[in-house]
Amino acid sequence: MKALLCKEYGPPDTLVLEDIESPEPGEGQVRLRVRACGVNFPDLLLIENKYQERPALPFSPGAEVAGDVIALGPGVTGGIREGDRVIAMIGSRGFQEETLADAARCVPLPDSMDYATGAAFTLTYGTSYHALVDRGRIAPGETLLVLGATGGVGTAALDIARNLGARAIAAGGSDEKLATVREIYGVRDVVNYSKDEETLKDRVNRLTGGRGADVIYDPIGGEAFQQTLRCIAWGGRILVVGFAADGANLPSARTNLLLLKGSSLVGVFWGRFTRESPARSARNFDTLFGWYADGRLRPHVSHRFPLEEGIEALRAVAERRVVGKCVVVMDD
């Protein structure tokens, strides 16, 4: 089978496409025929040895896949069978035609969902629903500010907020991409924080009549995070989702600003949540899949590449060309 391998740490250009042996499933594992693999910012960190997880070399990037179960390892229970269509979080080794997944971390792919959408769904929608509902406790009528609103988790947050009855303000660094999410998700207010005419803080405060945002969804960090401390509403919640702006220099919060607003900084670690609270995570996905089946969700995949062009897929994410998600498609 073919795999796009990281054999030495570096940028996407260092990856090589090779033939390798099909993996044998171990205890509690299944082997999947990968049909599509989502491409995410952590994949770039993984191949540059900048991520908290460090798989042994060589490995292929790709944390979330959709495909077909083609073999069961010993001890697999829970009703999973060969031929099942599933989506799975695997951490890495998704940029290959076959891969292994823990059976317990496989979720049935809804009949109404194609493989590419399935591969783009798990991490972004799982993270954003957990953030907004479990951690942010967002309520109908509240105002949500989404930073990085044109990326994968950002667009998912906008989509979910729309279904929860919250008012969303989409913040990003490109007028063109913000126009796209405005059209797809019906967002009324957008903020381009790369422009100098008005700070993010001032724009959000103006859009909210000086009150600020009740919930702020931040996968960016950096200077944008510092601005959020000054445009959070009384009793508001700032959701710390990631640090895409600069993972090497994590921002610090002035605690007096939190005190003055009675606000909270709330960490969001969806991966651990799925391990610590699997039943609750499953209920979250029941809700999300139900919304999708009813036509209430609009996952957006702006870029698709074959495995042979997986390097270009990673470049597209690195260069911030993607709106929503980018997917490597083996056979959709």
Side-chain angles (χ1 to χ4, degrees), residues 14-29:
T14 60
L15 301 181
V16 292
L17 187 67
E18 291 188 359
D19 285 310
I20 63 173
E21 294 295 320
S22 295
E24 287 299 321
E27 183 74 23
Q29 291 184 318

Side-chain angles (χ1 to χ4, degrees), residues 131-183:
L132 296 180
V133 176
D134 299 325
R135 305 296 288 150
R137 306 182 317 281
I138 196 164
E142 287 193 313
T143 297
L144 168 71
L145 171 64
V146 179
L147 305 186
T150 64
V153 292
T155 54
L158 294 176
D159 205 4
I160 291 167
R162 194 169 50 84
N163 282 278
L164 294 172
R167 171 203 176 187
I169 300 172
S174 162
D175 286 340
E176 182 180 0
K177 292 197 288 185
L178 286 168
T180 299
V181 300
R182 172 182 268 166
E183 179 180 355

Side-chain angles (χ1 to χ4, degrees), residues 28-32 67-88 101-109:
Q29 291 184 318
V30 297
R31 183 164 74 233
L32 301 179
D68 305 319
V69 177
I70 55 175
L72 306 179
V76 172
T77 59
I80 193 168
R81 297 171 298 179
E82 290 186 25
D84 285 353
R85 300 168 74 244
V86 298
I87 51 181
D102 291 338
R105 292 180 65 80
C106 292
V107 178
L109 182 67

Side-chain angles (χ1 to χ4, degrees), residues 265-298:
L265 271 179
V266 184
V268 178
F269 188 178
W270 175 74
R272 181 161 182 179
F273 164 72
T274 65
R275 296 190 292 272
E276 297 284 347
S277 305
R280 188 166 184 175
S281 177
R283 289 196 298 272
N284 288 356
F285 274 106
D286 286 343
T287 297
L288 290 167
F289 288 145
W291 285 352
Y292 181 83
D294 292 340
R296 294 172 57 183
L297 293 179
R298 304 168 186 170

